[in-house]
Amino acid sequence: MSVAEDRRFMGAALRLSGWHLGMTKDNPSVGCVIVKDGVILGAAVTALGGRPHAETQALDVAGEAARGATAYVTLEPCSHFGHTPPCANALVAAGVARVVACLPDPDPRVSGRGVAILRNAGIQVDVGLMQDEARRALGAYLTRRTSRRPQVTLKLAISADGMLGRRGEEVMITGPLARAQVHVLRAESDAILVGIGTALADDPELTVRLPGMGGRSPIRIVLDRRLELPITSNLVRSARQVPVIVASVGDTAAEAQPERQLRRDALANSGVEVLEKESLTELLHVLADREISSLFVEGGATVAAAFFADGLADRIILSQGPVEIGEGGLESPLTPSNMPADFALIRAERYGPDLCYEYERSI
Ligand SMILES: [Zn+2]
């Protein structure tokens, strides 16, 4: 099989893997395509909730025809017995002749073992095709596995002159197409985070409001050191439908503790979980331990700057609208012209009148 053909089928597997981003719990959203004589016999993505895995589903579709076929998988097939037998064994049993994978699985229960099972059975295994694309597609899973924290995406909407808005005044910076795009990014994330400033100013709901995607709303987190999120806010009032976490990060010793206890109890009684942590890093460890692999940080400037200062930003998305704010504007900590050197532009798209830039930390 030619390299061009390999890339074509792996490209299909990578696109499939994107379908269930944010919906596979602690399992990665993996794509698998089974091919023989240039024909796709079976294709699948990790099921909702994380099981069954892509390989076993694709093999089921291919059936007997999988014998002698090539399996394209975006990540090394698993080798550990969980609720079901490992995918590496399923590929052996199905009699595939060759397995192509983009990356080894950093999960210590798998790493290299999946490949070894296949090779020991006489299957040709090629690892490393389209690695960069796979690192991008599996970025959330890989970050949680290797750094015990979710992959963090910072999103900022900035004006043509690099401002976030004007203090005390709502300014619509981007149009409906760019805002719909934000809802897609929310849906692909396990959790979404804003600062208390944004929560108080905008009273957002932070749910996914695209037709047919309402069930994909991620956990909502408010960074709120003094527990100021009002009980009457849209977030708190919907906490029993879509979970809300109020995260108090930093030193709170100087605060009046009885009042703090009252606010903590009021939030808890409304169905909000209160997490109190020393640092952002510690908060992210807790989230990672709860199988949150991707965190979408939606403003504002203070929160973005805090994540950035702690070296906790992996991706940055800037939506730039055509409006100019001018005098009295709030300057964005990040703009296309001051992006740090270790962040590379990987995507630039136009949504109506708005430009969207996506940067990622060099990999
Ligand atoms: Zn598996």
Side-chain angles (χ1 to χ4, degrees), residues 246-329:
V246 163
S248 170
V249 169
D251 188 7
T252 55
E255 286 180 47
Q257 295 306 319
E259 282 85 344
R260 188 175 168 85
Q261 186 62 45
L262 284 177
R263 291 196 297 275
R264 191 189 286 121
D265 291 346
L267 287 167
N269 290 338
S270 306
V272 172
E273 182 180 359
V274 178
L275 280 179
E276 296 170 283
K277 298 291 158 199
E278 296 282 313
S279 67
L280 276 182
T281 304
E282 201 192 326
L283 172 67
L284 293 189
H285 286 331
V286 171
L287 298 179
D289 294 346
R290 295 183 179 195
E291 304 181 349
I292 291 175
S293 302
S294 51
L295 179 66
F296 189 57
V297 178
E298 261 195 72
T302 318
V303 170
F307 274 88
F308 202 73
D310 287 358
L312 296 172
D314 302 296
R315 294 199 301 168
I316 296 167
I317 292 174
L318 295 179
S319 300
Q320 189 161 37
V323 290
E324 299 239 352
I325 305 268
E327 285 285 298

Side-chain angles (χ1 to χ4, degrees), residues 27 30 50-56 76-80 84-88 110:
N27 284 271
V30 167
R51 290 200 174 265
H53 287 177
E55 298 94 316
T56 48
E76 176 181 6
C78 67
S79 60
H80 57 287
T84 52
C87 292
V110 179

Side-chain angles (χ1 to χ4, degrees), residues 166-246:
R166 204 175 276 124
R167 202 172 288 281
E169 186 187 327
E170 195 168 352
V171 185
M172 244 348 152
I173 289 181
T174 51
L177 275 177
R179 289 203 298 276
Q181 194 59 24
V182 168
H183 285 259
V184 174
L185 292 164
R186 283 179 184 173
E188 288 178 349
S189 305
D190 295 321
I192 173 172
L193 181 147
V194 297
I196 182 64
T198 300
L200 292 174
D202 302 348
D203 192 16
E205 208 162 305
L206 301 177
T207 48
V208 176
R209 288 187 296 275
L210 291 178
M213 293 178 91
R216 295 190 55 166
S217 292
I219 294 172
R220 300 162 298 164
I221 303 170
V222 181
L223 214 50
D224 178 11
R225 189 166 57 87
R226 289 193 283 269
L227 311 182
E228 293 172 301
L229 185 67
I231 299 303
T232 52
S233 62
N234 283 322
L235 281 165
V236 175
R237 285 192 296 150
S238 56
R240 295 198 198 274
Q241 286 80 51
V242 181
V244 174
I245 295 174
V246 163

